[in-house]
Amino acid sequence: MNLIDIIFLAIALAMDCFTVSIVSGIISQGVRHSVRYDIPRGHTPYEIWRMALLFGLFQAMMPLLGWMGISMFQSYMEAYDHWIAFCLLAFIGGKMVKESFDDEDEAHFNPRNLKTQLLFAIATSIDALAVGISFACTGYSELPQLTLPLIIIGLVSFVFSIIGFHLGLRFGKIITHRLKPELLGGIILIIIGVKILISHLLEQN
């Protein structure tokens, strides 16, 4: 792969992170917690830097794991990775949809929570395992060769996550006035999970 191919690959991998970050920004505008979540324009909270870092880290590490496990775990990863991603996203999305119908004082989904962010990072990056397998099949036989591609993949996901959050934050007030952000976010996450599952099932047929 040349540099342009790697950049386009990184952008493609970052799309799920980008979408989830937008959802997080939207929900942050309508979040119902004991502490009001008011964010000054242009300011990025610590929790969002952390989320973007986790997204970038997992997106970079999953191809490495796929590359390292090509000979030993290839069949296992190809058989189950999409199911794991689907189950995680469906679980989180379903939880958000359920909580969207709770009373305001009872709704407690929080995209700034570390546990939630870890689940997001894992679910949106599992698909990248297959990229590591493709690296191994296209001439990346030594670890140093992977350094630049992995850095680019992680950096692009990091940047897209920050941008996505601020887009969600900017338009969140408009959206939260018209519908429940948790309901919208949950539906989007379930759709992403279904998309990952269907794309892999179609590839196997």
Side-chain angles (χ1 to χ4, degrees):
M1 293 185 184
N2 58 40
L3 181 60
I4 300 299
D5 291 334
I6 294 171
I7 291 175
F8 277 112
L9 173 64
I11 292 173
L13 290 175
M15 285 298 101
D16 285 347
C17 298
F18 182 63
T19 304
V20 172
S21 297
I22 291 176
V23 171
S24 297
I26 292 172
I27 293 174
S28 294
Q29 280 291 356
V31 71
R32 297 185 288 269
H33 298 285
S34 58
V35 179
R36 181 64 182 170
Y37 194 43
D38 293 323
I39 303 175
R41 181 181 295 274
H43 177 69
T44 303
Y46 158 75
E47 296 94 336
I48 305 309
W49 286 112
R50 183 181 64 195
M51 182 181 72
L53 181 62
L54 287 172
F55 281 3
L57 179 63
F58 274 80
Q59 286 287 354
M61 292 302 296
M62 286 297 183
L64 177 60
L65 292 176
W67 178 82
M68 293 173 62
I70 180 65
S71 58
M72 191 177 304
F73 303 110
Q74 178 179 0
S75 60
Y76 178 82
M77 289 187 295
E78 289 180 343
Y80 298 106
D81 60 354
H82 50 289
W83 284 105
I84 295 172
F86 168 73
C87 289
L88 284 173
L89 288 170
F91 170 76
I92 299 171
K95 187 171 182 289
M96 289 170 64
V97 170
K98 176 183 177 296
E99 290 184 358
S100 71
F101 293 101
D102 291 341
D103 294 335
E104 287 199 3
D105 292 336
E106 295 177 2
H108 57 275
F109 181 84
N110 186 358
R112 296 174 289 140
N113 180 271
L114 176 59
K115 181 180 178 181
T116 300
Q117 291 178 354
L118 281 171
L119 288 175
F120 278 157
I122 294 170
T124 56
S125 64
I126 286 178
D127 218 28
L129 281 169
V131 173
I133 296 173
S134 70
F135 281 152
C137 297
T138 53
Y140 289 83
S141 58
E142 297 180 1
L143 185 58
Q145 293 177 292
L146 288 173
T147 302
L148 181 60
L150 295 181
I151 289 175
I152 292 175
I153 289 172
L155 184 60
V156 169
S157 292
F158 175 83
V159 172
F160 271 52
S161 298
I162 295 293
I163 294 173
F165 173 78
H166 280 287
L167 285 175
L169 195 64
R170 179 173 181 180
F171 298 104
K173 288 184 178 179
I174 299 174
I175 294 173
T176 54
H177 284 317
R178 299 186 178 182
L179 48 80
K180 297 180 178 181
E182 291 91 348
L183 178 61
L184 174 64
I187 292 172
I188 290 175
L189 292 182
I190 292 172
I191 290 173
I192 293 175
V194 171
K195 181 206 73 173
I196 292 173
L197 181 61
I198 290 177
S199 65
H200 278 261
L201 292 177
L202 290 176
E203 288 174 3
Q204 292 177 358
N205 295 330

